[in-house]
C-alpha cells in the first residue's frame, strides 16, 4: 500500500469524515486516495485558510480533530493562520501538507521551505514522514496528540517521493486512551474550606468546561452552592444565562457590569479557564485576590493570576468532587444588580426602528430569531464586544467566540465546518463587513456543497473595533474606513441569497425565514449605527453597582 492510501486508512479507522483542502502537484496522490474512500469526503475549498478554519470549528464542536490539507510551500503557509488559531483555542486539528522530496528538502529548491520548523511553534507536534514504513504510527500519533491532554493542532509533512512509496505491511496502531486524572481529596477539601471561609467568592468559568464535557457538573455546582458564575467570552453557554446565579461575561475592554463582582471578590474559583481567553489583569488588577485553579493543565505564570490551590484533574471528576465537599454550603448572593444592568441594556434593543440599527437592536433581534440550540459563530470586531456582552446563551457550543488568537474572518468558513459537525442545527455566522471580504470566496464552497447556513453582516464600512479603540484612546481615528461592493449583487453572483434589512422587525423575520427553512446559503445585510460604541464607554465610566 502506498503512503497516501495508508494515511487514509488510518484516518478512516479514527472515524474521520471530512478532509478540507486544495490539491497541488505534490499531494495529488493523497487527494485521490481520499476521493476513493467511501468513509471520508474531501471538501474542496477556495483558500487554504478557509480549510484550516473549517477543520478548526469542526474539531471544536465534535471534540475530534478536523483535518486540513494543502500542497507544499505557499499552500502550506496559507494553513498557518487557522492552525495557530486552533493552538490558542485548544482545539484539535491535523494539518497534512505536501513537502519536496527527500532528494531535495535538504537544499535550496523550488517551493521548499522548512515547514516542520514553521509549524512547530504553533502546534503540539510537528513532523515529517521520512519513511513510508512509519506512516501508520505517525498518523496515529498525530491523532492522539491532537485530542489527548490539552487539545491542539499537529502538523505532518509528506515528502513528495514518500507519498508514493510502498509502506509494506503495517498494523493500524490502537488509539491511545484518553487521559483521566482524578483530583486529589486533600486538594478538593482545601478548596472547599477556602470557599467556605471566603466572604465574596466568585467563579470564573472558561471554555475548558465545554471542552471537557463538564457543563452539567458545572450547573450542579452552581445550583447546589449558589456561587455566582461569570464566564469568559469563549465560555459562553457553560451556564444558562437565565440562571439567577449567572453573572454574564468578563473580558470587555472597559470596566463592565460583571467586573463589580470581581472588585468585591476575596476569592476567585477559576474553572476551565486559560490565560489565552483574556488577560486576568481585568479582574485582578493588583494581583491580590487568591485563585483556586481547576483545569486539566497547570496554567502559565502571571502576576495577576496568583494560584493558591492548583487542582489539575479531569473536570468531569473535579467539579462534582468539589460540589460534594461543599455540601450544605450556599454562597452569599451578589448578582441581582449586575444581572439587572445587563437585562436593562439588552431591553433597549427591543424597540423597532428603521435601519441603520443599533448594536443592541441587532443582538436582541438575533436572540429572538435563533432557537436555543442554534449555533452562532461570532467573528472578531466591534460586533464581538456587543454579542459577547449581551447575547444570552443557554447551552454550550451555541455561541462560539474566538478569543485566543481573535482572528478576523474565521466564521464564514467556520460555519461550513459547523454545519458538517452539527447537520441538524441552524448555523449563523455573525460578521462585520471588514471580516466578510477577507474570506467571502468560501460562499462558493458552501453553495457548491449545498451547506445551508446564514451570514448576518453588520455593515459600517470600517474596521469598527480599531475605530472604537482609536476613539477611546486618542479621541479620533484614521485609516479605518473603506468602501464595499454592492453586497446584493456580490452575494448573488456566488449563487447565494441576499437581503438587506430595513428595520429590526425585518431582521427578525429574515433570520427566522433563512434558518427555519434551511433554504441554501443566505446573507442578511444589516447596516449598524456604531455611535453606540462611545456612548457605552461613557456610560460604563459612570456606572456604580452596590453589591
Amino acid at each position: 500500500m502506498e503512503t497516501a492510501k495508508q494515511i487514509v486508512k488510518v484516518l478512516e479507522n479514527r472515524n474521520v469524515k471530512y478532509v478540507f483542502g486544495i490539491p497541488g502537484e505534490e499531494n495529488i496522490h493523497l487527494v485521490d486516495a481520499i476521493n476513493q474512500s467511501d468513509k471520508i469526503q474531501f471538501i474542496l475549498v477556495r483558500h487554504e485558510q478557509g480549510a484550516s478554519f473549517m477543520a478548526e470549528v469542526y474539531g471544536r464542536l465534535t471534540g475530534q480533530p478536523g483535518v486540513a490539507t494543502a500542497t507544499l510551500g505557499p499552500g502550506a503557509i496559507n494553513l498557518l493562520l487557522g492552525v495557530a488559531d486552533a493552538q490558542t483555542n485548544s482545539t484539535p486539528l491535523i494539518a497534512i501538507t505536501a513537502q519536496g522530496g527527500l532528494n531535495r528538502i535538504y537544499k535550496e529548491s523550488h517551493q521548499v521551505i522548512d515547514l516542520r520548523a514553521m509549524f512547530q511553534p504553533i502546534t503540539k507536534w510537528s513532523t515529517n514522514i521520512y519513511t513510508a514504513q512509519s506512516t501508520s504510527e505517525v498518523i496515529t500519533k498525530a491523532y492522539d496528540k491532537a485530542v489527548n491532554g490539552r487539545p491542539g493542532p499537529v502538523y505532518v509533512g509528506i515528502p513528495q517521493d514518500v507519498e508514493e512509496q510502498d509502506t509494506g505491511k503495517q498494523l493500524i496502531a490502537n488509539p491511545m486512551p484518553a487521559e483521566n486524572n482524578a483530583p486529589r481529596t486533600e486538594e478538593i477539601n482545601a478548596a472547599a474550606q477556602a470557599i467556605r471561609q471566603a466572604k465574596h467568592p466568585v467563579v470564573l468559568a472558561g471554555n475548558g468546561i465545554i471542552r471537557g464535557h463538564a457543563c452539567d457538573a458545572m450547573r450542579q455546582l452552581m445550583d447546589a452552592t449558589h456561587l455566582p458564575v461569570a464566564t469568559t467570552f469563549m465560555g459562553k453557554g457553560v451556564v444558562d444565562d437565565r440562571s439567577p446565579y449567572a453573572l454574564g461575561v468578563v473580558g470587555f475592554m472597559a470596566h463592565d457590569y460583571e467586573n463589580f463582582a470581581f472588585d468585591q471578590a476575596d476569592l476567585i474559583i477559576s474553572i476551565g479557564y486559560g490565560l489565552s481567553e483574556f488577560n486576568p489583569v481585568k479582574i485582578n488588577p493588583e494581583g491580590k485576590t487568591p485563585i483556586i485553579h481547576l483545569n486539566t493543565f497547570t496554567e502559565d505564570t502571571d502576576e495577576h493570576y496568583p494560584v493558591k490551590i492548583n487542582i489539575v484533574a479531569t473536570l468531569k471528576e473535579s467539579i462534582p468532587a468539589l460540589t460534594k465537599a461543599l455540601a450544605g454550603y450556599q454562597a452569599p448572593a451578589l448578582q441581582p444588580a449586575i444581572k439587572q444592568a445587563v437585562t436593562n441594556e439588552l431591553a433597549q434593543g427591543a424597540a423597532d426602528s428603521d435601519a441603520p440599527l443599533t448594536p443592541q437592536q441587532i443582538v436582541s433581534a438575533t436572540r429572538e430569531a435563533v432557537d436555543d440550540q442554534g449555533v452562532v459563530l461570532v467573528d472578531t470586531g466591534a460586533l464581538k464586544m456587543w454579542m459577547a456582552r449581551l447575547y444570552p446563551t443557554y447551552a454550550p457550543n451555541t455561541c462560539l467566540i474566538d478569543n485566543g488568537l481573535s482572528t478576523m474572518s474565521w466564521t464564514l468558513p467556520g460555519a461550513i465546518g459547523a454545519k458538517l459537525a452539527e447537520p441538524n442545527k441552524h448555523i449563523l455566522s455573525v460578521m462585520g463587513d471588514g471580516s466578510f471580504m477577507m474570506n467571502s470566496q468560501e460562499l462558493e464552497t458552501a453553495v457548491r456543497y449545498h451547506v445551508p447556513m446564514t451570514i448576518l453582516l453588520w455593515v459600517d464600512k470600517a474596521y469598527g473595533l480599531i475605530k472604537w479603540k482609536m476613539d477611546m484612546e486618542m479621541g479620533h481615528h484614521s485609516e479605518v474606513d473603506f468602501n464595499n461592493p454592492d453586497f446584493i449583487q456580490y452575494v448573488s453572483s456566488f449563487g447565494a441569497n441576499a437581503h438587506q434589512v430595513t428595520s429590526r422587525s425585518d431582521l427578525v423575520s429574515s433570520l427566522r425565514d433563512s434558518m427555519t427553512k434551511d433554504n441554501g446559503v443566505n446573507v442578511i445585510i444589516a447596516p449598524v449605527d456604531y455611535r453606540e460604541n462611545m456612548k457605552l464607554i461613557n456610560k460604563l465610566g459612570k456606572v456604580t453597582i452596590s453589591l
Side-chain angles (χ1 to χ4, degrees), residues 102-176:
L102 293 176
N103 62 337
R104 64 188 182 97
I105 62 173
Y106 61 88
K107 63 182 179 180
E108 183 177 345
S109 185
H110 176 63
Q111 289 193 315
V112 169
I113 56 172
D114 191 344
L115 295 172
R116 186 203 61 77
M118 183 174 291
F119 278 91
Q120 188 169 5
I122 58 169
T123 57
K124 292 181 67 178
W125 186 50
S126 179
T127 191
N128 292 319
I129 295 181
Y130 294 103
T131 174
Q133 286 71 31
S134 68
T135 301
S136 178
E137 289 183 346
V138 170
I139 300 301
T140 297
K141 180 177 178 178
Y143 189 100
D144 290 338
K145 283 276 189 183
V147 298
N148 286 332
R150 185 177 186 176
V154 297
Y155 167 76
V156 180
I158 317 295
Q160 184 178 9
D161 45 8
V162 174
E163 185 193 43
E164 302 176 46
Q165 289 177 359
D166 186 1
T167 63
K169 185 178 180 180
Q170 292 193 15
L171 300 175
I172 300 296
N174 291 327
M176 187 65 65

Side-chain angles (χ1 to χ4, degrees), residues 30 35 37 48 98 135 149 154 164-165 174 198 204 246 275 343 370 376 379 392 406 486 523 537:
L30 176 59
N35 281 326
S37 170
E48 292 89 352
T135 301
V154 297
E164 302 176 46
Q165 289 177 359
N174 291 327
L204 172 65
L275 288 174
T343 300
V370 178
V376 178
D379 218 291
S406 288
D486 182 322
V523 178
I537 297 301

Side-chain angles (χ1 to χ4, degrees), residues 231-456:
T231 75
T232 64
F233 284 11
M234 292 181 64
K236 285 180 72 68
V238 165
V239 296
D240 189 326
D241 278 332
R242 293 168 293 199
S243 168
Y245 315 114
L247 294 173
V249 300
V250 291
F252 184 53
M253 52 191 175
H255 193 274
D256 213 343
Y257 309 126
E258 295 79 7
N259 287 77
F260 286 95
F262 290 93
D263 291 345
Q264 187 173 338
D266 56 354
L267 178 68
I268 298 172
I269 305 105
S270 170
I271 306 178
Y273 160 78
L275 288 174
S276 63
E277 296 187 51
F278 82 99
N279 192 337
V281 69
K282 295 185 177 184
I283 57 170
N284 201 2
E286 297 181 4
K288 294 180 179 179
T289 307
I291 290 172
I292 297 174
H293 175 82
L294 285 83
N295 214 334
T296 55
F297 56 89
T298 295
E299 191 43 84
D300 202 356
T301 301
D302 188 289
E303 62 184 354
H304 299 282
Y305 196 74
V307 175
K308 177 180 180 181
I309 301 171
N310 186 26
I311 302 175
V312 177
T314 304
L315 292 178
K316 288 182 74 172
E317 292 194 37
S318 60
I319 297 174
L322 182 60
T323 303
K324 183 178 180 181
L326 287 170
Y329 166 82
Q330 287 192 350
L334 54 73
Q335 67 274 12
I338 292 173
K339 286 188 69 68
Q340 191 60 49
V342 176
T343 300
N344 291 345
E345 188 176 327
L346 183 60
Q348 297 174 18
D352 193 21
S353 70
D354 295 336
L357 304 177
T358 66
Q360 296 95 325
Q361 286 177 304
I362 300 178
V363 173
S364 67
T366 303
R367 179 68 280 179
E368 186 176 334
V370 178
D371 66 80
D372 291 3
Q373 295 299 318
V375 180
V376 178
L377 297 85
V378 181
D379 218 291
T380 298
L383 63 88
K384 180 172 81 169
M385 298 299 163
W386 289 102
M387 287 290 291
R389 295 180 63 252
L390 297 181
Y391 184 75
T393 308
Y394 310 134
N397 278 335
T398 59
C399 182
L400 305 185
I401 295 178
D402 175 1
N403 224 41
L405 200 58
S406 288
T407 307
M408 290 181 70
S409 197
W410 66 276
T411 63
L412 197 164
I416 297 174
K419 188 63 178 180
L420 296 176
E422 297 284 3
N424 296 321
K425 294 185 178 181
H426 299 135
I427 306 298
L428 173 65
S429 165
V430 180
M431 310 183 75
D433 45 356
S435 287
F436 177 72
M437 291 305 295
M438 292 181 180
N439 265 325
S440 57
Q441 72 281 349
E442 300 304 341
L443 281 174
E444 191 277 332
T445 306
V447 170
R448 178 165 29 94
Y449 285 102
H450 306 288
V451 179
M453 52 187 261
T454 300
I455 299 158
L456 174 57

